[in-house]
Amino acid sequence: MAVFVTGLLLFGPLRSVRAQAGMQSIEAVSTGGGTSALSGGVAGLYTNPAHLTVGPAEHTTEVQLFRVGAYSGGDLFQFNHYSKLFIHEDPGAPPLSDAEEKATLDAWFGSSTRSAASYLEVTPLAMTYRSPNGRWAFGLGIRGRVIQKTTLDKGLLDLLLRGTAPTRILPVNGRVRLYSLLDVTGTFSYRFSSFPLSVGVSPRVILGTGYADGVLNSTVVVNDASLTHQFAYTARAAGTLSTGLYDTFDAFSAEPLRQVLGSTSGIAGRGGGLDLGMSYALRPGLHLSMSITDLGAVTWTEEAQTVTPTHNTFRFDGLSLDLQRLTDEFEGDVGAYVKHQIDSLAQTAYRDVRRERGSFRTGLPTTIHFNSTWAPGAVTVNGGVSMGLNEHAGAVPRPVAAHLGGEVSLGPVPIRAGVRALGTQALTVSGGLGLEIGGYRLDVGGSVTPKTSLLGTGARYAVSASLGTLRK
């Protein structure tokens, strides 16, 4: 239990949502989440492998250097409710009543959970080559990813804000997951000559460098001065997060994080993945595309473990005051005496755990994308939807996210903009631009949610850039 709660604190909502499956490309970040079928080259490497052979073969070779992307968001980010509960803008205003706090939590969470996620991606090298006749192309990319997701219901906040005064039964449930991956991707795309269809496949080899998760299912019964917590949880880890956190962390010691170091071989798991894509030209300049990204799984073996609790009940019925002990052992320090009694009860309930050493398997953030592209001239418009097929892996759209955006080419400066809606964020706006100098191109893009309650609930913040793309 202590490990799981610490995970919520370390990797919780302030650093983290159900969101986009990866950054895909700088163009995708800049236009709301979709990539034009005509972008081709390295822009299609992680979005839709079929796009490598769509459109005219203007460049045979592209090499992109050190692309980085970062993302954070989700429907836990609802600042209108957060501000009402935790930020008192008017110091003279009376505090919220119990009924007002309950109503705000109900509006924020309802009867479901809210999530927050973060995603960091670094691609030191990506390259593509397209044949001079444009019929086939291949690519290669090296990428590192760190994916995190936190999900919780309103139970914990209800208990912290409203205390033990109202008698009630609270579900207190949550999940946290953090993992890091390195992958090498190879891509092949082919365009048929008999009809305007391009297909593509991107197999990849995946090395997992660390994994940790925890799932808590519990109920808190509050009755006058007593509190009963019935709980069950499962926590898993592999790699450094297993040896350096799960094996050494002790919430009840004076320095619980003092020995969180750990060491492994650096490879905690191995697996494979696959992207599939297709794109069909309805007529010149109008394309329909579909892709499935991140099919696959990772098996975690290095220092892998699964932790479950030995006990499943914590009960607090108030404190008993032993004046003799207070004087002799605590020198009259009431605070230290109270803390000692509560810690003793908590240790009895939460400290003892069962550890099962053995491998386990987890899926990738599989996502399906539908996209259309219209390019009448200097303007390119693309729109579509994405839907996550494995929400527990984190960083996937749920239930579905829609995007609409485009690019205007002003000579050597392409300007991009777009919007994103539905999913786990309110209306989000995106933008970006590029700069072409000879065979060199620099791109940057980002997105932001202006208001977390505008045409939806939640937030989305993302940025992506690279050192440059060389084209020949």
Side-chain angles (χ1 to χ4, degrees):
M1 176 66 186
V3 170
F4 179 79
V5 173
T6 301
L8 285 176
L9 294 176
L10 289 177
F11 313 124
L14 293 182
R15 289 171 47 178
S16 61
V17 197
R18 289 172 289 196
Q20 175 181 335
M23 303 305 297
Q24 298 190 29
S25 68
I26 300 176
E27 289 85 347
V29 174
S30 303
T31 58
T35 300
S36 163
L38 298 173
S39 294
V42 294
L45 200 59
Y46 295 106
T47 58
N48 186 334
H51 287 175
L52 269 65
T53 54
V54 175
E58 297 179 357
H59 308 280
T60 58
T61 304
E62 283 194 17
V63 179
Q64 189 175 72
L65 303 174
F66 198 76
R67 176 171 65 87
V68 61
Y71 160 86
S72 183
D75 55 10
L76 185 59
F77 289 77
Q78 297 184 38
F79 296 123
N80 52 326
H81 300 313
Y82 179 87
S83 299
K84 187 174 182 179
L85 288 171
F86 300 107
I87 300 176
H88 304 289
E89 297 179 354
D90 183 2
L96 296 179
S97 66
D98 180 74
E100 289 174 321
E101 289 178 335
K102 181 180 183 303
T104 303
L105 287 172
D106 289 342
W108 190 350
F109 288 85
S111 58
S112 61
T113 59
R114 294 289 178 257
S115 299
S118 61
Y119 182 97
L120 175 65
E121 176 179 293
V122 177
T123 305
L125 176 66
M127 61 165 290
T128 60
Y129 173 81
R130 187 174 182 183
S131 64
N133 63 10
R135 292 276 305 281
W136 58 268
F138 68 85
L140 176 69
I142 302 171
R143 177 178 61 171
R145 295 186 283 176
V146 179
I147 300 172
Q148 180 278 323
K149 178 183 177 182
T150 299
T151 302
L152 70 157
D153 59 22
K154 65 183 177 184
L156 180 60
L157 289 177
D158 189 297
L159 187 63
L160 293 174
L161 288 168
R162 302 175 64 206
T164 59
T167 299
R168 61 202 190 279
I169 300 176
L170 297 173
V172 179
N173 306 303
R175 179 170 192 149
V176 61
R177 174 174 291 193
L178 171 69
Y179 60 103
S180 55
L181 306 171
L182 295 173
D183 62 60
V184 178
T185 298
T187 298
F188 181 77
S189 178
Y190 181 79
R191 187 179 69 191
F192 294 92
S193 59
S194 56
F195 50 96
L197 176 68
S198 292
V199 295
V201 59
S202 294
R204 64 177 50 98
V205 176
I206 301 174
L207 300 177
T209 57
Y211 183 94
D213 75 3
V215 181
L216 171 67
N217 296 294
S218 70
T219 300
V220 174
V221 179
V222 179
N223 187 8
D224 295 328
S226 70
L227 183 149
T228 303
H229 185 204
Q230 297 279 349
F231 60 90
Y233 67 84
T234 301
R236 301 179 299 177
T240 303
L241 290 171
S242 177
T243 59
L245 179 61
Y246 279 36
D247 280 345
T248 61
F249 174 79
D250 183 0
F252 301 102
S253 68
E255 299 180 71
L257 297 175
R258 182 174 60 87
Q259 296 182 356
V260 178
L261 293 173
S263 62
T264 67
S265 65
I267 304 302
R270 294 169 176 82
L274 187 69
D275 296 349
L276 299 171
M278 60 181 293
S279 184
Y280 184 80
L282 294 176
R283 58 184 177 83
L286 182 59
H287 302 264
L288 295 179
S289 304
M290 183 188 76
S291 65
I292 299 178
T293 56
D294 275 323
L295 286 165
V298 176
T299 299
W300 303 92
T301 57
E302 181 76 11
E303 301 292 345
Q305 64 173 305
T306 301
V307 180
T308 55
T310 301
H311 309 290
N312 62 7
T313 302
F314 168 79
R315 184 174 180 85
F316 176 75
D317 292 310
L319 299 173
S320 60
L321 182 61
D322 186 332
L323 294 177
Q324 185 67 37
R325 190 180 180 194
L326 175 64
T327 302
D328 295 343
E329 295 184 29
F330 299 93
E331 299 179 348
D333 188 337
V334 177
Y337 175 78
V338 171
K339 181 178 182 301
H340 174 78
Q341 284 212 36
I342 296 176
D343 283 352
S344 297
L345 292 172
Q347 287 188 51
T348 301
Y350 298 128
R351 191 169 201 172
D352 295 333
V353 299
R354 291 186 290 265
R355 298 181 187 272
E356 180 183 343
R357 306 285 178 172
S359 64
F360 56 88
R361 190 182 187 194
T362 60
L364 299 176
T366 308
T367 305
I368 186 168
H369 311 271
F370 298 93
N371 194 71
S372 61
T373 301
W374 179 49
V379 177
T380 302
V381 179
N382 75 84
V385 296
S386 297
M387 181 175 66
L389 303 180
N390 182 12
E391 69 164 306
H392 292 309
V396 297
R398 279 205 49 99
V400 64
H403 59 84
L404 177 64
E407 176 181 302
V408 178
S409 181
L410 302 178
V413 181
I415 299 177
R416 309 179 185 102
V419 295
R420 186 180 180 93
L422 306 179
T424 53
Q425 77 281 307
L427 183 69
T428 298
V429 297
S430 304
L433 53 84
L435 176 63
E436 296 184 13
I437 304 175
Y440 175 85
R441 176 161 159 172
L442 178 68
D443 293 285
V444 63
S447 64
V448 64
T449 302
K451 187 177 181 180
T452 58
S453 58
L454 177 63
L455 298 180
T457 55
R460 177 183 179 82
Y461 308 103
V463 64
S464 185
S466 75
L467 289 181
T469 303
L470 305 176
R471 293 176 163 184
K472 183 179 178 181

